[in-house]
Amino acid sequence: WYSMAGSVTGRGGSVALALALVAFLTYNQHYPVIDISHAKGQTLAHEWFVKWNNFSRVAVVHKADEGRDTIFIDADASTAIADFDFDHLAPRDRHDLLEQGPSLPYAVRPGAKTLIIGPGGGWDVARALASGSHDITGVEINPIIATTIMRERFPELSRGLYLRPDVHIFVEDGRSFVRRSTDKYQVLQATLVDTWAATAAGAFALSENNLYTTDAFRDYLSHLTGDGMVAVTRWGLDPPRESLRLVSLAMEALSQLGEADAWRHFIIGREPGAPGWARDTVLISRKPFSEDDIGRAQALVSAAGMTALYLPGRDVRNQFHDLLHSPNPDEYERNYTFDITPVTDNRPFFFYSVQPRDLWTFVRTASHDTADYKVNKAVPLLFGLMGVSLVATLLILLLPPLVLGTRLPRQRGVAGFLLYFLFIGAGYILIEVGLIQKFVLFLGHPTYALTVVIFSMLISSGVGSGLSRRALGKDEGRLIKVLGSVALLAALLALVASWLLGALVWLPMALKVLITVLLIAPLGLVMGMPFPTGLERLEEWHAPSVRWAWSLNAAASVLGSVGALVCSIYLGLIQTLIIGGLFYLGALAVVGRARSPQPAVPGMVLAK
């Protein structure tokens, strides 16, 4: 601004201020003056190591009462650092490692060849070692935990646990690793693998988790030996939700692999603990459990003071027994208090457990202190946000006439043509959000999906906008073909991507980013053409209406972003992309019905 004003003093001051800020940022990086001291309603105290990467903030805190160091992710999720001398385990150490819920798979398969997804501070690795395992693979997505803390900066905290020759650690997304692995494992374990980062905004139920889907469990079961098992530990709520949903999706995965009599493939135990904080460990075997397996599990359950929630052939009557022995599991799931239906990669919202029919009751009656409210509160907030967006859109239509005295154009056909901008605004954002969610599985983390998909969309759409005048001109037929192409490509990408991304999820990250860009670019290119072409046509028709087109398009984008989440949760990601394409067909119908532009009316000059 000072440069445009020709002020030498102002320009000098601006440059000096910019340099000072850069110097301060550099200094603050090494000697923090401004830093986060409070997060999620609590003080961040006793953090003696903190490091950020592009999807998390990781801190190490020494807990004096426990006598060990704990890793905190995003100020909420935590994983203690395992510190054990495996040559001289004290009785308390043996109890912690071998007589708790997550040690159940090692009681059934001692010394197993093991794959651990999300090992964090190494407790599951330590359990496997204590049981006699000598071939342990850990797959941790966060390099700060797996590499910086556990192997480079502070290996002494875990006595070099991740540096042992019998422990192999990979920094990678768990699903990607499983897909590319050619090994077979006796135990594949995941203990409380998720992040509570989203709970500050109440968005936990909206976070995609591709580790807990029917497709994921089919992958896991396919990478087991004949006597292998998947062991998953989740919170034991009452009545059960997460652990019971694990059973329902594992039943579906077993069925897809040709296994009948699913009731013979499960062992489930619950640790003692306060309601909502006890842990349920679910074992799912590739082949039916033997009597010896069941006996070893029963012995561990008794020794650890656990509750046997389900053992094959044992008369333990509860929700797990009822589901596994139901003659019609689908009907049982529909009638259950919570939503425990199997989730797939197309609808990977594992933690959203409120039945759609009970949503309003949940909003009115759920206690704010319960785990249900903490996990699921984002969904009613989402519907509230949709209501706010609708009101905001109506205000955009009503305020200009009320405040500015500006009326919607009354020229014949112009007002109807404004629907074109509503349709492409909503359609664009539905497709964009759907693609972001769709590519989470492929790219391994929501942050990567958000970054790469938006980059691809903006660049390719920008190129399409730049080419629109030359490619389409004023040819109405070409515009109709482009709108139809958007709908076709969106549907094609929705259907093809589901198969293609699952098949290629094992590829290295750089190659996956390149494939993402190449898949999205053709769709983004044609999606960038309708908006500037429509604006140019509207300017020639009735120039004062261009500002209405801009505002309505923006309002539709806001409304569409909320609608995309609703569609993803209740319909699926494929359906969301297809619905986005249908909006472009709506825009096509508007163009087809619109009358030919009238002679140009003097008005504003289009800058874009």
Side-chain angles (χ1 to χ4, degrees), residues 412-414 416-417 419 423 476 480 537 541 585-596:
R412 185 175 180 180
V414 172
F417 188 68
L419 286 174
F423 284 140
E476 188 174 279
I480 287 175
R537 179 178 180 178
W541 196 344
L585 291 183
L588 186 154
V590 170
V591 172
R593 289 176 59 87
R595 298 175 64 92
S596 299

Side-chain angles (χ1 to χ4, degrees), residues 403-416:
V403 177
L404 303 175
T406 303
R407 297 279 185 262
L408 275 169
R410 297 185 179 180
Q411 281 76 3
R412 185 175 180 180
V414 172

Side-chain angles (χ1 to χ4, degrees), residues 67-69 80-86 89 93 121-123 126 156-159 161:
R68 58 171 54 100
D69 294 279
I81 297 177
D83 178 17
F84 296 100
D85 181 357
F86 295 99
L89 287 175
D93 294 337
W123 271 78
E156 69 280 0
L157 296 178
S158 61
R159 307 193 190 204
L161 181 63

Side-chain angles (χ1 to χ4, degrees), residues 225-257:
T225 57
D227 63 345
M229 72 183 76
V230 176
V232 183
T233 300
R234 295 299 319 161
W235 296 113
L237 304 170
D238 191 24
R241 275 81 101 190
E242 294 181 8
S243 49
L244 195 58
R245 181 168 246 174
L246 286 176
V247 172
S248 72
L249 63 88
M251 289 172 64
E252 179 65 24
L254 286 167
S255 174
Q256 292 174 8
L257 292 173

Side-chain angles (χ1 to χ4, degrees), residues 363-540:
V363 173
R364 290 189 298 107
T365 63
S367 169
H368 291 197
D369 297 327
T370 62
D372 283 330
Y373 185 79
K374 185 177 183 181
V375 171
N376 290 295
K377 69 176 181 177
V379 179
L381 287 176
L382 180 67
F383 282 96
L385 183 59
M386 176 169 279
V388 170
S389 301
L390 280 169
V391 171
T393 303
L394 291 174
L395 286 176
I396 286 176
L397 293 172
L398 295 175
L399 282 181
L402 293 175
V403 177
L404 303 175
T406 303
R407 297 279 185 262
L408 275 169
R410 297 185 179 180
Q411 281 76 3
R412 185 175 180 180
V414 172
F417 188 68
L418 289 176
L419 286 174
Y420 171 91
F421 298 96
L422 276 172
F423 284 140
I424 63 174
Y428 190 99
I429 203 71
L430 275 164
I431 291 173
E432 185 174 57
V433 173
L435 287 174
I436 291 169
Q437 295 176 310
K438 192 71 179 170
F439 277 84
V440 168
L441 168 61
F442 187 57
L443 296 172
H445 196 277
T447 302
Y448 297 147
L450 186 75
T451 306
V452 177
V453 171
I454 289 182
F455 166 83
S456 305
M457 291 286 288
L458 291 181
I459 295 297
S460 57
S461 295
V463 172
S465 294
L467 296 175
S468 60
R469 181 170 294 179
R470 183 184 307 170
L472 304 184
K474 299 180 181 180
D475 191 324
E476 188 174 279
R478 290 184 181 179
L479 177 58
I480 287 175
K481 289 178 182 178
V482 163
L483 292 168
S485 297
V486 173
L488 181 63
L489 286 173
L492 194 62
L493 188 57
L495 298 173
V496 172
S498 298
W499 170 81
L500 187 63
L501 300 186
L504 300 179
V505 73
W506 56 273
L507 291 172
M509 182 53 122
L511 196 51
K512 290 196 287 189
V513 169
L514 178 61
I515 290 172
T516 301
V517 174
L518 293 177
L519 283 174
I520 292 175
L523 177 60
L525 184 74
V526 291
M527 287 175 67
M529 294 181 178
F531 186 66
T533 304
L535 283 180
E536 189 170 18
R537 179 178 180 178
L538 183 62
E539 186 186 29
E540 293 181 353

Side-chain angles (χ1 to χ4, degrees), residues 74 99 114 137 313 315 349 355 498 504 559 576:
D74 299 319
E99 295 181 356
T114 302
T137 300
D315 190 18
F349 301 96
Q355 290 278 21
S498 298
L504 300 179
L559 186 59
T576 301

